[in-house]
Amino acid sequence: MRLVIARCSVDYIGRLTAHLPPASRLLLVKADGSVSVHADDRAYKPLNWMTPPCSFKDELVDGAGTWTVTNKAGEQLVITIESVEHDSSHELGVDPGLQKDGVEAELQRLLALHVETFGPGWQLVRREYPTAIGPVDLLCRDADGATVAVEVKRRGEIDGVEQLTRYLELLNRDPLLAPVKGVFAAQEIKPQARVLATDRGIDCVTVDYAVLKGTDDPTQRLF
């Protein structure tokens, strides 16, 4: 991973155009070829980015110049660098991936066994469906035969929606799977995560762990 702190402006040229005026920003170039531009006030979400596969052209001379990142659709992220404050590269190695806690892993297993929780006629294609950025918890087909990627969390927060969004972006590049829809499933889904998911066309499903385990019968509840 390459970390660069620089004063720069950024222009995105593609289906739409966007411009970031000059300011000090963090630029990340990852081993997978992705490039992202970060400010100091937006948590983990970048101001702009380009996902792989893409080409990277570095035309810096004495700490000034341009980076041009181009994806296979011809869209470009042009970063014009005025000055560089920091530039370093680090080998992070292979990441072992996110380790789910016991409840979350069991929730995924139970939903795989009872995939009809999401609707009549649903079928499981595979658990832990592999992608270049990590496994999708459940890959399913709904009653109409459409492909659906399901991300399972104990507590559904914004980072889970972002994770599923990245999976969907990759899966929809596969002509054998596309179009792929998304379902965000959790015992509890935070309002902000639900709003973000809805905005991105992702369905939210709140699941009852006790019912899936068979330790609770909702028909016997008073309330």
Side-chain angles (χ1 to χ4, degrees), residues 102-132:
V103 171
E104 193 169 299
E106 179 67 1
L107 190 61
Q108 181 193 122
R109 185 187 73 83
L110 291 170
L111 285 171
L113 290 174
H114 304 286
V115 71
E116 69 279 359
T117 298
F118 302 114
W122 277 55
Q123 295 181 330
L124 177 70
V125 175
R126 179 172 172 175
R127 283 183 65 187
E128 301 288 340
Y129 185 87
T131 76

Side-chain angles (χ1 to χ4, degrees), residues 39-101:
D40 202 20
D41 62 347
R42 288 170 59 105
Y44 56 86
K45 187 174 177 62
L47 297 166
N48 215 326
W49 66 93
M50 189 71 79
T51 56
C54 55
S55 63
F56 179 84
K57 187 176 183 181
D58 186 342
E59 297 179 295
L60 290 187
V61 178
D62 295 328
T66 60
W67 287 359
T68 304
V69 189
T70 308
N71 66 15
K72 63 179 182 179
E75 299 167 318
Q76 290 188 323
L77 190 66
V78 180
I79 303 172
T80 303
I81 297 175
E82 298 178 4
S83 60
V84 174
E85 299 177 28
H86 175 85
D87 188 346
S88 63
S89 297
H90 308 270
E91 179 59 55
L92 302 185
V94 178
D95 191 271
L98 180 67
Q99 301 296 315
K100 297 178 180 293
D101 65 28

Side-chain angles (χ1 to χ4, degrees), residues 112-160:
L113 290 174
H114 304 286
V115 71
E116 69 279 359
T117 298
F118 302 114
W122 277 55
Q123 295 181 330
L124 177 70
V125 175
R126 179 172 172 175
R127 283 183 65 187
E128 301 288 340
Y129 185 87
T131 76
I133 58 173
V136 177
D137 288 340
L138 305 175
L139 193 71
C140 306
R141 294 200 183 276
D142 65 15
D144 298 322
T147 308
V148 187
V150 181
E151 181 65 24
V152 181
K153 299 292 185 187
R154 183 170 60 85
R155 170 183 280 183
E157 299 184 352
I158 285 177
D159 58 348

Side-chain angles (χ1 to χ4, degrees), residues 14-34:
R15 290 166 293 181
L16 50 82
T17 58
H19 174 72
L20 293 171
S24 293
R25 299 186 175 98
L26 169 64
L27 310 176
L28 295 183
V29 184
K30 295 187 178 180
D32 64 2
S34 63

